[in-house]
């Protein structure tokens, strides 16, 4: 058998199925589209669900893909074995009501034996227990002896995911040889050992299941196949695991080079860490290339967790400094030909990884400090086990790994309640799971629109028309209390006062999409009037007008007049076109790493999220704003062209991360300055935008910034409000608008002078109290303690007094309290000699702060706290003597 690399095998598979009439599609992004059931794409068929359910018409009834996939359900086992991984590529060929079992099985066999050249004697098919049809094809069409075809039950050979399309499977296993076996008598296909590995799975989607064991035969049967590319490569290359195939091994070798460790392929700590880093860096590189950024929830949390695990295992291998980008570079070099987005977004990938790696290193240092404080508390309470709740807090809040907590505490003779940690983890996962929306098989919100005839579609004609006459194809009604989103029943008529949804064959109304907010307006017929409050894209290429019947009635089949709110569209178009200019200006000022992460455009303002790794300076904001206004003043023509997606990419047009584009796209150009793929509505020329003003710039997550801005009427209103406010301020200051700054500076100078006088008086009062307070000094085990209440002093004043008292004491402990407007300030300071005897300011203040209704802490030499119970001050000062006595050796 000839040996092929991963990149060769991918091409061989796709070329083979293209020769069988399949449309070869690029991998879909890892971020699911319109699917609430998944955080990340985890199988080749996942992005194709709408085609399997009939909700959307596929571009061709035969398709083939190599799909990027992430599976994190078993993340804690990654590295511990050579089997587990989070990132993989899945080869798949699909039929949507086209060919069925015979073609799927015979092509599978042809590819494996004729194209790849696997030994037929080492291949073993399996079928579902009752699938005689598939068994017969394997035996009679392919020529496999009956005793080499295995029948398995539902658990192994029946694909089902709740209610929805389902069916039996037929898998193909490869015998890797006795050296991979368990040696047990009767070891054969289906054994848990590593000898017989499943490399191909044909799913025959022929039933509709109700989730309760009842099945009806589908009119259009489908084929869904899957084959792990790395697993196939391991078989073809004759290597033990996915970590040994060429593209993955290159990453693994880089980890070994950076760490100076040798990979043995075993289960020792170094091998585990090498595998974790190899796998996780592959995952994060692909995730970031598809627009995922680190955060504390959802897929962003998955990314952050993978990055932190890789960082942690780098430390375990002894790698010094930042290293993950060097590993990521190997991932990009080995896969960029198949996935060009890796090369296109290289800078963003590296910047995000470096930023997160630096943050994790700081986090670990912070976690070690917190852990040290917890150790002190456990010593004081005479307990030897850290609670699972505290360990989980370290993990969840500060990203401090459990294994590191266990390891550090073990060195000090402490243990961790790992069962309690697991319970806290389970509660968090259950909470996250319960927070997800209920969904149907598609993973989108289940609606009345799911099972409409696929021939019912809508066409948007709003690029050229603001009003249009069209036939009503679908009507739904809802109780008025449910609002416009409460569509729950198909109907032939809606009458006055009813909320509902109108679907027409053609519409000038823009549905919320690509960040642009919906059009509003009216649908009318004679005297009947339906007020459109929201327009949404629905499954199957339909456009739904959500609103309320304000007068008369509408009926299915009726031709109606649809008219948008033209002024709202115009203002939205100005803001939308301005976002295109803004992105181009940001790339010019900040660099080509800037990419759109999301936007919201409506009639009032625009919001634009983009990748960047530091707050913008005032100079950068001013330059961006100036460039956009310059392009507005130039009145650049806004030109729209429809072209093939590949042709659009060749023109250099910018595209959104993770956006799902069709085979044809709209390219919107503004002179030579901006060119983007966009389905929204725009102005005819940039001069229509009138003016542009940035009103805020802020970070919203790691590596993502947000700009909010105004144009045209919104900007004018903003400037008018500023002018009105300036006049009001001038009036209050009793001066003219052009003299406001001078007046403020004069007042600030007066305030500064008065403040200085006030502080001087406070200092004199504090000095006067020194003599009286020093009479309260006590001795505790030979150590001087001054515990006293003072008045009219803030926290800064307390610290200053503490220093003065400490100077008078020479060596000792000072505890001061002050009540002010119902609040309490506490301060403790300890001299160096007394610290050596066991006194600790931070621990002392922790023990007395509760008596004044507060809390606090600090270093051994100085600590401070606040509280809300002034009546507790005498008790707190008395308690200080007791606590100090316990601390002193």
């Amino acid at each position: 058998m000839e040996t092929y690399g991963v990149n060769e095998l991918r091409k061989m598979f796709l070329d083979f199925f293209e020769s069988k009439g399949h449309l070869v599609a690029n991998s879909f992004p890892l971020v699911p589209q319109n699917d609430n059931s998944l955080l990340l794409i985890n199988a080749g068929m996942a992005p194709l669900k709408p085609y399997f359910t009939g909700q959307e018409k596929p571009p061709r009834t035969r398709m083939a893909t190599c799909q990027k996939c992430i599976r994190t359900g078993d993340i804690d086992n990654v590295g511990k074995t050579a089997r587990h991984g989070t990132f993989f590529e899945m080869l798949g060929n699909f039929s949507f009501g086209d060919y069925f079992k015979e073609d799927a099985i015979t092509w599978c066999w042809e590819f494996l034996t004729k194209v790849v050249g696997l030994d037929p004697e080492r291949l073993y098919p399996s079928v579902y227990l009752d699938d005689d049809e598939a068994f017969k094809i394997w035996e009679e069409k392919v020529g496999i002896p009956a005793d080499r075809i295995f029948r398995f039950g539902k658990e192994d050979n029946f694909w089902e995911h709740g209610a929805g399309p389902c069916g039996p499977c037929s898998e193909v296993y490869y015998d890797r040889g006795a050296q991979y076996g368990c040696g047990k008598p009767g070891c054969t296909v289906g054994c848990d050992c590593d000898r017989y590995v499943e490399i191909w799975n044909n799913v025959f989607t022929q039933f509709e299941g109700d989730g309760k064991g009842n099945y009806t035969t589908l009119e259009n049967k489908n084929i869904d196949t899957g084959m792990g590319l790395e697993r196939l490569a391991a078989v073809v290359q004759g290597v033990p695991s996915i970590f040994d195939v060429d593209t993955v091994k290159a990453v693994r070798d880089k980890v070994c080079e950076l760490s100076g460790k040798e990979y043995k392929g075993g289960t020792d700590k170094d091998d585990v860490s090498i595998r974790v880093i190899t796998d996780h860096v592959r995952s994060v590189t692909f995730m970031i290339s598809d627009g995922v950024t680190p955060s504390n929830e959802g897929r962003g949390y998955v990314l952050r967790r993978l990055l932190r695990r890789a960082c942690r295992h780098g430390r375990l291998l002894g790698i010094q400094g930042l290293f993950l980008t060097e590993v990521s570079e190997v991932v990009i070099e080995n896969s960029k030909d198949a996935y060009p987005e890796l090369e296109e977004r290289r800078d963003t990938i590296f910047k995000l990884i470096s930023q997160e790696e630096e943050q994790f290193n700081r986090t670990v240092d912070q976690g070690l400090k917190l852990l040290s404080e917890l150790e002190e508390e456990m010593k004081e309470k005479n307990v030897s086990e850290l609670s699972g709740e505290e360990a989980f807090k370290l993990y969840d809040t500060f990203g401090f790994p459990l294994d590191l907590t266990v390891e550090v505490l073990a060195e000090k003779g402490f243990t961790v309640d790992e069962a309690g940690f697991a319970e806290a983890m389970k509660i968090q996962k259950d909470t996250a799971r319960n927070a997800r929306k209920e969904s149907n098989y598609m993973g989108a919100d289940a609606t009345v629109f799911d099972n409409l005839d696929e021939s019912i579609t809508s066409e948007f004609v709003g690029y050229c028309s603001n009003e249009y006459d069209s036939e009503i194809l679908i009507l739904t009604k809802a109780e008025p209390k449910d609002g416009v989103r409460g569509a729950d029943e198909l109907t032939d008529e809606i009458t006055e006062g009813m909320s509902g949804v109108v679907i027409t064959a053609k519409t000038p109304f823009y549905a919320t999409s690509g960040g642009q907010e919906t059009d509003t307006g009216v649908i009318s017929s004679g005297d009947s009037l339906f007020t459109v409050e929201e327009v949404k894209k629905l499954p199957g290429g339909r456009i739904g007008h959500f609103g309320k019947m304000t007068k008369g009635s509408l009926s299915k089949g009726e031709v109606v007049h649809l008219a948008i709110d033209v002024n709202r569209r115009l203002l939205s178009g100005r803001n939308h076109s301005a976002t295109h200019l803004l992105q181009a200006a940001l790339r010019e000022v900040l660099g080509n790493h800037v990419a759109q992460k999301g936007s919201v455009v409506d009639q009032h303002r625009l919001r634009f999220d983009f990748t960047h790794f530091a707050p913008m300076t005032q100079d950068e904001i001013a330059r961006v704003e100036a460039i956009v206004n310059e392009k507005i003043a130039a009145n650049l023509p806004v030109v729209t062209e429809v072209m093939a997606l590949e042709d659009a990419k060749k023109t250099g047009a910018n595209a959104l991360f993770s956006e799902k584009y069709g085979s044809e796209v709209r390219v919107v150009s503004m002179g030579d300055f901006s060119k983007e793929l966009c389905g929204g509505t725009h102005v005819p020329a940039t001069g229509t935008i009138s003016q542009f003003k940035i009103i805020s710039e802020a970070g919203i997550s790691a590596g993502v910034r947000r700009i909010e801005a105004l144009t045209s009427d919104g900007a004018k209103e903003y400037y008018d409000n500023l002018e009105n406010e300036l006049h009001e301020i001038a009036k209050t200051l009793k001066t003219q608008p052009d003299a406001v700054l001078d007046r403020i500076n004069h007042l600030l100078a007066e305030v500064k002078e008065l403040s200085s006088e006030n502080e001087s008086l406070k200092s004199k009062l504090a000095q006067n109290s020194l003599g009286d307070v020093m009479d309260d000094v006590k001795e505790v085990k030979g150590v001087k303690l001054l515990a006293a209440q003072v008045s009219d002093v803030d926290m800064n004043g307390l610290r200053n007094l503490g220093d003065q008292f400490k100077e008078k004491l020479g060596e000792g402990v000072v505890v001061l309290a002050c009540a002010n407007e119902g609040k309490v300030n506490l301060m403790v300071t300890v001299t160096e000699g007394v610290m050596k005897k066991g006194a600790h300011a931070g621990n002392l203040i922790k023990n007395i702060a509760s008596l004044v209704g507060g809390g606090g802490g600090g270093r051994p030499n100085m600590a401070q706290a606040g509280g809300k119970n002034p009546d507790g001050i005498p008790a707190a000062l008395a308690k200080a003597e007791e606590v100090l006595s316990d601390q002193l050796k």
Side-chain angles (χ1 to χ4, degrees), residues 214-288:
N214 302 307
Y215 305 97
T216 55
T217 301
L218 291 170
E219 182 178 346
N220 292 318
K221 300 178 178 67
N222 304 317
I223 291 292
D224 161 24
T225 77
M227 176 165 59
L229 175 57
E230 293 89 346
R231 187 179 291 188
L232 174 65
V235 166
V236 171
Q237 294 174 21
V239 294
S241 77
I242 61 172
F243 291 94
D244 301 286
V245 303
D246 59 325
T247 54
V248 186
K249 181 178 179 294
V251 182
R252 190 197 80 194
D253 289 346
K254 186 65 178 180
V255 178
C256 291
E257 175 194 325
L258 293 170
S259 64
K261 304 287 186 180
E262 181 184 353
Y263 181 72
K264 305 179 185 67
T267 57
D268 65 38
K269 288 183 179 180
D270 286 351
D271 282 346
V272 169
S273 293
I274 291 167
R275 285 193 290 266
V276 167
I277 298 169
T278 299
D279 170 78
H280 287 6
V281 174
R282 294 181 77 217
S283 290
V284 302
T285 301
F286 276 92
M287 289 171 73
I288 296 172

Side-chain angles (χ1 to χ4, degrees), residues 385-411:
E385 183 175 71
L386 182 69
S387 72
E389 184 180 338
E390 289 286 1
F392 183 74
K393 182 181 177 182
L394 277 170
Y395 166 79
D396 190 50
T397 306
F398 302 102
F400 202 71
L402 175 64
D403 58 348
L404 185 55
T405 301
V406 171
E407 182 182 316
V408 171
L409 289 180
E411 292 172 359

Side-chain angles (χ1 to χ4, degrees), residues 174-240:
Y174 181 80
D175 180 5
R176 303 171 73 201
Q179 67 271 30
Y180 291 100
C182 57
K184 296 176 183 176
C187 173
T188 187
V189 173
C191 182
D192 287 336
C193 69
D194 291 338
R195 176 170 179 174
Y196 297 93
V197 58
E198 175 225 322
I199 57 173
W200 194 309
N201 186 17
N202 291 283
V203 179
F204 309 126
T205 312
Q206 62 190 87
F207 300 117
E208 177 77 23
D210 64 0
K212 300 175 183 177
N214 302 307
Y215 305 97
T216 55
T217 301
L218 291 170
E219 182 178 346
N220 292 318
K221 300 178 178 67
N222 304 317
I223 291 292
D224 161 24
T225 77
M227 176 165 59
L229 175 57
E230 293 89 346
R231 187 179 291 188
L232 174 65
V235 166
V236 171
Q237 294 174 21
V239 294

